[in-house]
Every structure is written in C-alpha cells, then in structure tokens.
Amino acid sequence: MRPEGRDELDSLYFDYPQFDPPASIDSSGRAAVAIVGAGPVGLVAALTLARGGVHSVVLEQNSTFNDGSRAICVARQSFHILERLGAVAPFVEKALGWTTGRSFYRGQQILEFQMPHSEDEKFLPMYNLQQQYIERFLWEAASRRPEIELRWQSEVTAVEDDGAGVTLQVTDPLRSYTLNAGWVLAADGARSIVRARRGLRLEGENYEGRYVIADVQMAHDYPTIRRALFDPACMPGATVLIHRQPDNIWRIDYQLGEGESPEEATREATVRARVSAVLAEIGHQGSWELEWWSVYSANTLALADYRDGRIFFVGDSAHIVPIFGVRGLNNGLADAENIGWKLAMVINGDACPQLLDSYTPERRGATLDVFANASRSARFMTPPTAGWRLMRDAALSLALDHPFAGQFANPRQMTPYTYAHSPATLADDPAFGAGPVPGAVVPNLRLTGGDFLSDHLGHGFCGLLFTGPHWELAGELGQLLAEFEPSLRILRIGPVAGDDGATVADPDGRIAARFDAMPGSFYLLRPDMHIYGRWRQLVPDRICTALKQYFHAAREVQ
C-alpha cells in the first residue's frame, strides 16, 4: 500500500520498469523447462539451469517487480549461491551487511548477540536489501543469459502432466496459447496458481499474531543492527522489529493488537500513528516519510511432497515459514539451486532421473528444520496462548537482571541444512574422527594468498584431494572420475602451491586439520557446496563405485 495521492508503484527511492508481454510466441516450440514466477526464487532457478546449459522459459503474470521491501535479509550462504551464478557483484555493492542484533524489554537492553563470523568467511552472516533490488539484480543477470526467455504479463491458467511432459495454458494481453515443457518449476509464491491447479494444499500451523510491515525513509544514524523491542512503551504488550536498509529506508515490523482487524491496522492514519510512536520510542526526532506498508501473519505450512510428476514446487509455493530468523527467502533460494543443478544434469544426460528423487527429502527436510527453529522464535515473538505469553514475559523480566536469560530472545539465524539422510549423500567413512560430514556445506577458509577456498571450487562437482607429496594420485583419480563426470574439477591441497592453478597451498596444515584430512584423504563436493562423500584414505575404485548410483547409470542408458 502507498500513501494517499501516490500511485501503486510511486516509490520514494526505486524506479519500477514496466515490461511488455512478448511481441511474438513460437507456438510450435517446446521448452526444456518452464518456470512459473520471476521472483528471486524463479530467477535463481533459471540462472542455475543456464549455468548447466539448459534453456528455460520464465512466465511472470505481473508487469514489473514486486513492490515494497518484503524479504530483505539475505544470508551468507545465499551470497555464495549468487556468486556461483555470477550475479553477486551488485548485491555486495548495494546491500548493508550486519552481524549484530539487540533486543530490548520495556526500553532496557537485555541482549546483544553476534552472528558467527570469522576472517575465514568471504561474506558477512547477513545483508539487508529490499526485494525490489534483489529482483532487479537477478533480472539483469538473467537478461545476459541467452538460455533464459522471460515472458512478462503471462498468466498460467492450466497445468497438465501426461508423464512425458507438461502442458501449460498461458494467457497474456495479446493472446492465449499452449506451452509444452519437459519439466515445470513452480516458483509462483504463497498463492501458487500451479499448486491450486494441481489440487494440492499446504499443511501445517497458522499463528494468531499478525504484523504490519512499514517502510519509512528518514535520515537516522543508528548502525545496521537488528533491533527487537518487546513490550515497548509505544505499543504495550506488542513486539517491534527494526531493520536499516539502503537508500535511508527503515523497515519497521510491529504486532497488531489483540482483536485488531487487519483492515483497521492498515489504514494510513493508523500506520502513521504507530510509526510515529515507534520512532519516538527509539529517539528519532527528525522528519520521515512513509513509503509503503503491508500486513502478514506467521505460518508454518508445507506440501507433503515438493514433486508432482514432472512439476517441482520451489520456495513459497512449496512452503511458508515465519519471517523470524529470516529463513523464507534464503530457504527458497536454496530450493532453487538444489533442483536447478540436479535437473540440469538429468536433462544433459549426466545423471539418471533418480537423482531428482532427492529434491523433496533434502529440501523438505530443510523446511522442517526451519519450522523447528522458526516456530520457537514465532512463539517467543508472538505468543500463541496466555500460557506462552506468561512464560515469555517471565523470561524477559528475568533478563532485566540476569544476562543469561536474554538468550531466550536470540532469534538464532538460519544456517545451512545438512543433508545427512539424503539419497544423494553417501554414508560417512568411519575412519574420520572430525571434520565436516557428508551432507554438510563445505567450510570456507581464507588461503595464504588472501583469497578463499570457495574461490577455487568451480561450478560443478569438485574433489578436494589432500596430496601431501603424492601428486600422482590426482592424475589417476581424475582419469577415473572423468568417466562419471567429465567436468569434475580436482583441487589438490598440499604443502606448496603448483603452477597449474589446481593446487592450493596448505603450508601449516590448517586446511587439512579443519577437514581431519591426511595425505590421500578425499572430499567430493556437489555443485551446491554440500559434501557428497568423503574418504579418509583414497581408494579410487570405492569412489567410482559410489558414483555409479546416479552418474554411471545415466551414461549407460544414453
């Protein structure tokens, strides 16, 4: 919503482009993949497919980007996804990074937390950036890829899967037509048309608490720190969240009062009064302008299966999570990359179709993990019953005099999920006593040259071979693995760097210690930086046998 007298897209700081429907359509063509929805999740899926050389048609019913800040917190692992897609540069330039959060109870600070960060990390734990910019930067990256065709003002009205492909009925202002696709990725949000047309429903828990989001433009010198106000004087009994964003935009989320209707809460006069009270609470005496506002509720809802034949549900079309802990957008981007690289490998004949069966176990498992953490945060931020409120308020009162109790107000931000029980993760080698396990995201490390381990992993499968003096192992292993994945990169880690660009120096053994590696140890990494498997001592035949499940079988049937 916008203030009276301003158009729907009349922003104080962002110029919305207007995209026309496609001038012409090749009705005889067939899309390898159709992606429904050109939000952040749909565009990351398209870019991931393009990185694998797969063409896609992206269908978006709107004529421009989503308005308002909406999802604003982008986590470190999402920046790694953007980097792998070649799209991270404008995000780094524009976004505001942060590591610190502060919580207040009745005006008194009860907690200051620091998100995990060290010199070994290339990116900060979290960045604030309005969703309009997220979509614009991803659209710019997609526009540079010939593998991506983006069709604006294109509404999907029907979806039929015949087992060999998917038929979509599409309507735009110029025509109605049929689009035949090999596969469909539904990235069309919480009100997914594809999900509705397939007769599927989200299941889970709805929370009673509702929040208003208000974007305010003002000159305010508070640093980029997440602030949570519990039971503030400006709104007794409520919870308020405040985030700084680029362009002097401040995001204020505040809880609706008990029994207050969304219609009353979103009246402009009501929003202005509430925002004024919050700004007075934090000591802002200067001028401010109201930019945009909306309302949302905290829910934990998900599909039982993220796959429906040749249709995969990605992001909010598959699950809805509470915003507390900034898990929604980041969970969706991980969905998009996960199905993107797997589908690209299957389409290209580099993996057998059974690899796609790992999508739901991995990403629904991640969603359920998010639910477990976000639900705790949601119950603390928005107590669902009088009993929960009593316990929450008791913990906050205790925190006034006992710092340890302030940890109850720590939202515990999202961390990457470990695919320990995925069919696309190998059983661990029991000879390891430490180090990152199969299914986990590979840890990053700053190297002696000032760059990072992640800079050397490439964009496909990558093997980390701890060689010691045994350089010949790399050539032997590379020849064997090329049978399964020709583009696989072998990165050697040894005492000194080589001249071929395929060796990382580890003179003090710090990398080997982090991975619990010895000369001959081998880690195999997936394109999404998750560990596929690891071996304490290199036995090439064992590694090749493990890869046959998905990769050798694919080449045998081509």
Side-chain angles (χ1 to χ4, degrees):
M1 301 178 186
R2 301 275 180 192
E4 184 178 358
R6 284 169 49 197
D7 293 336
E8 181 181 358
L9 298 176
D10 184 8
S11 172
L12 298 172
Y13 67 97
F14 188 87
D15 292 327
Y16 288 89
Q18 289 294 311
F19 299 105
D20 295 328
S24 61
I25 294 292
D26 180 6
S27 59
S28 64
R30 175 183 172 90
V33 182
I35 300 173
V36 185
V41 172
L43 291 175
V44 164
L47 287 164
T48 304
L49 289 165
R51 187 180 65 188
V54 174
H55 288 70
S56 64
V57 173
V58 183
L59 304 166
E60 172 55 55
Q61 66 177 359
N62 295 319
S63 62
T64 189
F65 311 129
N66 281 295
D67 65 315
S69 63
R70 300 180 185 268
I72 67 167
C73 294
V74 189
R76 171 187 289 137
Q77 198 60 27
S78 294
F79 264 58
H80 280 292
I81 292 174
L82 297 169
E83 183 178 42
R84 289 192 289 276
L85 297 176
V88 78
F91 288 85
V92 173
E93 180 180 356
K94 186 70 176 181
L96 302 179
W98 57 281
T99 61
T100 305
R102 292 173 183 165
S103 296
F104 300 81
Y105 178 54
R106 295 180 177 174
Q108 181 175 327
Q109 183 172 316
I110 59 170
L111 172 70
E112 178 170 307
F113 66 86
Q114 299 289 331
M115 288 184 286
H117 186 60
S118 74
E119 64 175 10
D120 283 324
E121 298 291 355
K122 185 172 185 178
F123 301 113
L124 292 171
M126 200 67 64
Y127 294 83
N128 287 351
L129 184 65
Q130 298 94 316
Q131 186 165 325
Q132 306 101 308
Y133 285 117
I134 296 172
E135 294 186 15
R136 190 180 86 183
F137 296 156
L138 288 171
W139 167 76
E140 290 171 348
S143 299
R144 295 192 293 268
R145 298 299 304 239
E147 303 92 342
I148 301 173
E149 180 186 352
L150 186 52
R151 299 180 184 177
W152 294 91
Q153 301 187 46
S154 300
E155 180 182 3
V156 173
T157 58
V159 185
E160 296 293 336
D161 182 349
D162 65 7
V166 184
T167 301
L168 301 98
Q169 300 300 324
V170 185
T171 298
D172 66 31
L174 302 179
R175 66 188 71 80
S176 293
Y177 62 95
T178 297
L179 175 64
N180 296 308
W183 305 86
V184 168
L185 302 184
D188 51 343
R191 297 181 177 87
S192 171
I193 294 297
V194 177
R195 188 179 65 229
R197 295 292 182 267
R198 299 298 294 172
L200 302 174
R201 294 178 60 86
L202 300 175
E203 301 174 353
E205 185 174 2
N206 293 295
Y207 291 90
E208 292 298 324
R210 293 176 179 265
Y211 281 75
V212 167
I213 309 170
D215 283 349
V216 173
Q217 189 173 59
M218 63 181 180
H220 186 54
D221 59 2
Y222 203 81
T224 307
I225 291 175
R226 174 196 182 272
R227 281 182 284 183
L229 313 181
F230 295 97
D231 196 13
C234 63
M235 293 184 197
T239 302
V240 179
L241 301 175
I242 305 172
H243 281 277
R244 183 180 185 179
Q245 303 175 90
D247 301 320
N248 280 334
I249 299 294
W250 294 79
R251 161 79 168 264
I252 301 173
D253 299 32
Y254 59 83
Q255 188 178 358
L256 273 64
E258 186 175 351
E260 184 178 10
S261 71
E263 293 76 18
E264 171 59 28
T266 54
R267 288 179 56 243
E268 181 176 344
T270 304
V271 174
R272 287 187 178 277
R274 297 284 174 80
V275 169
S276 293
V278 171
L279 297 183
E281 179 89 13
I282 63 175
H284 179 71
Q285 304 298 325
S287 61
W288 58 275
E289 291 191 66
L290 184 60
E291 156 70 0
W292 172 90
W293 68 92
S294 186
V295 65
Y296 69 87
S297 57
N299 301 311
T300 53
L301 303 169
L303 289 172
D305 193 335
Y306 291 3
R307 180 177 185 178
D308 178 22
R310 286 179 165 262
I311 302 167
F312 294 88
F313 293 89
V314 193
D316 285 353
S317 71
H319 50 72
I320 300 174
V321 305
I323 67 158
F324 313 117
V326 296
R327 297 169 171 90
L329 171 66
N330 297 291
N331 202 39
L333 298 186
D335 290 349
E337 185 185 39
N338 188 290
I339 189 57
W341 73 262
K342 292 173 181 176
L343 190 54
M345 291 195 73
V346 170
I347 290 173
N348 290 330
D350 294 328
C352 57
Q354 286 74 19
L355 178 62
L356 301 176
D357 294 337
S358 66
Y359 174 64
T360 288
E362 290 187 354
R363 294 312 306 157
R364 193 170 190 277
T367 300
L368 295 179
D369 183 66
V370 165
F371 283 0
N373 289 285
S375 295
R376 286 193 290 268
S377 295
R379 291 189 183 100
F380 197 88
M381 303 294 288
T382 309
T385 66
W388 274 104
R389 178 171 291 280
L390 182 65
M391 289 189 291
R392 195 280 301 269
D393 291 348
L396 291 171
S397 295
L398 185 64
L400 292 173
D401 300 310
H402 301 280
F404 78 89
Q407 288 298 324
F408 288 112
N410 191 331
R412 293 173 179 83
Q413 309 293 333
M414 176 182 177
T415 56
Y417 182 65
T418 297
Y419 303 139
H421 305 293
S422 166
T425 297
L426 301 180
D428 199 7
D429 185 337
F432 279 98
V437 299
V441 168
V442 65
N444 212 5
L445 290 164
R446 185 182 290 273
L447 306 179
T448 55
D451 55 347
F452 295 87
L453 180 63
S454 61
D455 296 331
H456 297 264
L457 301 182
H459 301 305
F461 273 80
C462 179
L464 303 182
L465 176 61
F466 293 84
T467 60
H470 306 296
W471 300 104
E472 70 280 358
L473 289 173
E476 177 188 355
L477 183 63
Q479 291 178 0
L480 286 169
L481 293 181
E483 176 185 358
F484 304 97
E485 177 47 46
S487 63
L488 184 142
R489 171 180 173 81
I490 301 292
L491 183 64
R492 300 188 295 262
I493 300 176
V496 296
D499 297 328
D500 55 2
T503 305
V504 168
D506 186 26
D508 57 3
R510 191 169 72 97
I511 303 175
R514 180 68 181 85
F515 284 82
D516 189 30
M518 57 186 293
S521 294
F522 183 71
Y523 278 74
L524 184 56
L525 313 181
R526 308 182 338 175
D528 55 8
M529 288 180 68
H530 285 262
I531 297 168
Y532 184 76
R534 63 176 182 169
W535 294 262
R536 178 74 164 159
Q537 190 61 46
L538 180 64
V539 181
D541 288 345
R542 287 179 56 199
I543 297 173
C544 293
T545 298
L547 285 172
K548 285 183 179 180
Q549 177 182 5
Y550 291 125
F551 305 104
H552 188 63
R555 290 187 169 77
E556 288 179 338
V557 300
Q558 294 305 308

